[in-house]
Amino acid sequence: MNETGRPQDFPLSNPRADRVRDVAKLAGRPARLKRGQFLAEGPQAVREALKLHQRRLAAGAPGVVTEVFASESCLDRFPEFEELAEGTNARLATDEVLAAMADTVNPQGIVAVCRFVDAALADVLDAGPRLLAVLCQVRDPGNAGTVLRAADSAGADAVVFTASSVDIYNPKAVRSTAGSLFHLPVVLAADPAELATACKAQGIGILAADGHGHLNLDVLQDENARRRLTGAGPDSVYDLAKPTAWFFGNEAQGLSEEELELADHRVAVPVYGAAESLNLGTAATVCLYASARSQRRAAATAGQEQAV
Amino acid sequence: MNETGRPQDFPLSNPRADRVRDVAKLAGRPARLKRGQFLAEGPQAVREALKLHQRRLAAGAPGVVTEVFASESCLDRFPEFEELAEGTNARLATDEVLAAMADTVNPQGIVAVCRFVDAALADVLDAGPRLLAVLCQVRDPGNAGTVLRAADSAGADAVVFTASSVDIYNPKAVRSTAGSLFHLPVVLAADPAELATACKAQGIGILAADGHGHLNLDVLQDENARRRLTGAGPDSVYDLAKPTAWFFGNEAQGLSEEELELADHRVAVPVYGAAESLNLGTAATVCLYASARSQRRAAATAGQEQAV
């Protein structure tokens, strides 16, 4: 870095250079698995990757970002990158080089090579999670990323992908998370039965999102609210405020019979219109926000009672 | 149609035929606007288009589907199409021809040419809607389709797109609706100010989904529930059970200042995690389901009181 914090050397300008090709190969799963690396593209994803990188370094843990490539004009638009990228292997690159590295047509002037960020299931459970999103055999990278982002918005403690789900390090999936991949722990290739056993052992309820479920989520929410407000105590069927792992199934087939049987309850998000079914992202959003709302409401009530 | 109900003639087999090219041109906006037609691709979209077609014909209204092209193997897999397509201009086609017609690589053996299905704003308002989703300057076809499908799931009465929104007849948007485009009225190129004036005139409240909104949707829902359950009457701030038009903004910029000023309230969907903002589909889902739940709860309570 020079005095202005910018990488001093001249920009990488040859889109056919080996270094550029090596980065571009991360669009494919074999290269990702071999190197344990993936690509974050665009200012939002790279910013969140670098923030996680700096948090980890500050905590004495290994970093996340191994290389950053940015155009001059990108650094002009987003001067904060110069500080964020400090201590990483940052390099200027021409737009042509960035386009050759990225999976998107327009990476908006910046890409970062990142180490895999997934966490171990045991570590996630040791932290005492209250809300987990479990994606079973989800196939579409856009859906996987959208649900991860929705889980982040709802304040979930982690997102768990079971084996045979889409690779979350796929460039399209990474883009769809809009940076959320770097916000909360993600567990990959989990076994649903093992996960269920571990959840039950520590008092985490399991709800399966299932269009044919016997419980209607809105009825459950209303009943929860009624009991809370009338002082009737926690719901006798299922208290949405308790620690919960939500299981969501494959886009086309939903959850398998084996996956459904792991759940305490099968819960349907009501469809009030003529839609045949809910989009996975829509269903997951409604379910996760219902739990988040109940948990926060219960925590607020407990806080008030303590204050009294 | 012959005795088995199948189109009698031999399949269209020349992917370079004028008729095939004419259909393929509907992937482009100029051809769509010129002809007032668009393309539905795949069994789900075509099934819902044909159901709407038959409902309209039964009501003495003009139909929707002008032509159906299907492969033999598709009709084997989905025999219901032979009845559904009755009275339409149905024609067998080879997979090669279907691929040449469709925007998708794999149209799954069936495409339909449809007349524009959008409704007039005046007709939608005359029907006394209770829940409207208004999409202002939404640019991404996938987002537009996803929100339309979520609105259908939540039982919205119509979806309104303002001018300079993406064309809902874009093939990607049509696909993303998963058939919902044929379930509920869709209004195009509406003027937000005119819409707001009309809504206010008939007692429809306007809520703007806005990350910086002064009202928190979860707090509003809780306050609504508390007042209802404790008999304190409708919420003094905003009763979510009243007829409501939700305004949703552009993916990147949100609602403009002019659009925000049309609303009675600016409502934020709470973000509990580290996500910077909500995906448009996620935000719209949470907002529309919150209204749907409140409206249905109020209707159920009113029903119980009448019964007493």
Side-chain angles (χ1 to χ4, degrees), chain B residues 265-288:
Chain B
H265 296 284
R266 304 175 188 194
V267 182
V269 175
V271 173
Y272 295 121
E276 275 174 62
S277 64
L278 289 160
N279 163 297
L280 172 62
T282 301
T285 296
V286 174
C287 294
L288 294 171

Side-chain angles (χ1 to χ4, degrees), chain A residues 69-203:
Chain A
F69 301 93
S71 68
E72 289 254 27
S73 69
C74 176
L75 295 182
D76 287 341
R77 270 181 300 143
F78 304 105
E80 73 267 27
F81 278 115
E82 301 185 0
E83 195 177 326
L84 275 172
E86 209 157 307
T88 69
N89 192 356
R91 184 76 197 265
L92 285 176
T94 62
D95 285 334
E96 206 186 350
V97 161
L98 289 164
M101 286 175 166
D103 181 68
T104 32
V105 181
N106 175 13
Q108 299 174 267
I110 193 161
V111 305
V113 176
C114 305
R115 287 201 195 90
F116 283 177
V117 290
D118 50 281
L121 180 59
D123 291 341
V124 164
L125 293 174
D126 280 352
R130 297 195 53 80
L131 184 56
L132 296 174
V134 182
L135 278 75
C136 299
Q137 304 183 53
V138 170
R139 294 283 196 275
D140 178 76
N143 281 339
T146 300
V147 174
L148 206 162
R149 185 176 172 191
D152 182 20
S153 304
D157 297 295
V159 175
V160 179
F161 290 88
T162 69
S164 74
S165 289
V166 66
D167 183 359
I168 193 66
Y169 297 125
N170 167 308
K172 191 174 173 213
V174 174
R175 272 198 300 283
S176 303
T177 73
S180 288
L181 176 58
F182 305 104
H183 290 163
L184 72 172
V186 174
V187 176
L188 301 184
D191 177 76
E194 278 175 31
L195 171 64
T197 305
C199 283
K200 282 172 188 174
Q202 62 185 84

Side-chain angles (χ1 to χ4, degrees), chain B residues 12-263:
Chain B
L12 281 176
S13 61
N14 178 4
R16 282 163 299 280
D18 283 351
R19 195 169 175 190
V20 177
R21 283 179 207 258
D22 275 352
V23 174
K25 276 186 193 151
L26 293 174
R29 191 165 155 84
R32 290 199 297 272
L33 286 178
K34 190 173 160 197
R35 283 142 63 182
Q37 293 179 328
F38 68 104
L39 204 58
E41 303 174 31
Q44 188 181 31
V46 175
R47 185 184 297 116
E48 300 310 304
L50 286 168
K51 284 188 195 163
L52 175 61
H53 182 79
Q54 300 297 354
R55 283 198 303 275
R56 288 215 177 159
L57 291 185
V64 168
V65 178
T66 60
E67 289 175 289
V68 181
F69 302 93
S71 68
E72 288 254 28
S73 69
C74 177
L75 295 182
D76 287 340
R77 268 181 301 143
F78 303 104
E80 74 268 27
F81 277 115
E82 299 184 3
E83 194 177 328
L84 275 172
E86 211 157 309
T88 68
N89 192 356
R91 185 76 198 264
L92 285 175
T94 62
D95 284 334
E96 207 186 351
V97 161
L98 289 164
M101 287 175 166
D103 181 68
T104 31
V105 181
N106 174 14
Q108 300 175 266
I110 193 160
V111 305
V113 176
C114 304
R115 286 201 196 90
F116 283 176
V117 291
D118 50 281
L121 180 59
D123 292 340
V124 164
L125 293 174
D126 281 351
R130 296 195 54 79
L131 185 56
L132 296 174
V134 182
L135 278 76
C136 300
Q137 304 183 51
V138 169
R139 294 282 196 276
D140 179 75
N143 280 340
T146 300
V147 174
L148 206 163
R149 184 175 172 191
D152 182 20
S153 304
D157 297 296
V159 176
V160 180
F161 291 88
T162 69
S164 76
S165 289
V166 67
D167 184 0
I168 192 67
Y169 297 125
N170 167 308
K172 192 177 172 207
V174 174
R175 271 200 300 283
S176 303
T177 73
S180 288
L181 177 58
F182 304 104
H183 291 164
L184 72 172
V186 174
V187 177
L188 302 183
D191 177 77
E194 278 175 30
L195 172 64
T197 306
C199 283
K200 282 172 188 173
Q202 61 185 86
I204 300 172
I206 299 178
L207 297 181
D210 172 21
H212 306 288
H214 58 282
L215 279 180
N216 175 309
L217 182 62
D218 280 359
V219 172
L220 188 60
Q221 287 190 85
D222 284 354
E223 178 61 12
N224 270 235
R226 194 188 62 73
R227 288 183 151 260
R228 186 176 45 81
L229 286 163
T230 58
D235 195 88
S236 51
V237 179
Y238 189 87
D239 181 7
L240 282 167
K242 74 177 268 191
T244 299
W246 274 100
F247 277 42
F248 304 108
N250 171 275
E251 296 89 339
Q253 277 90 37
L255 289 163
S256 70
E257 202 48 50
E258 295 75 37
E259 290 156 352
L260 285 169
E261 283 183 3
L262 299 171

Side-chain angles (χ1 to χ4, degrees), chain A residues 153 222 270 272-273 289 293 297, chain B residues 152-153 218 222 270 272 289 297:
Chain A
S153 304
D222 283 354
Y272 295 120
Y289 262 90
R293 196 154 46 229
R297 198 192 279 134
Chain B
D152 182 20
S153 304
D218 280 359
D222 284 354
Y272 295 121
Y289 262 90
R297 198 191 282 133

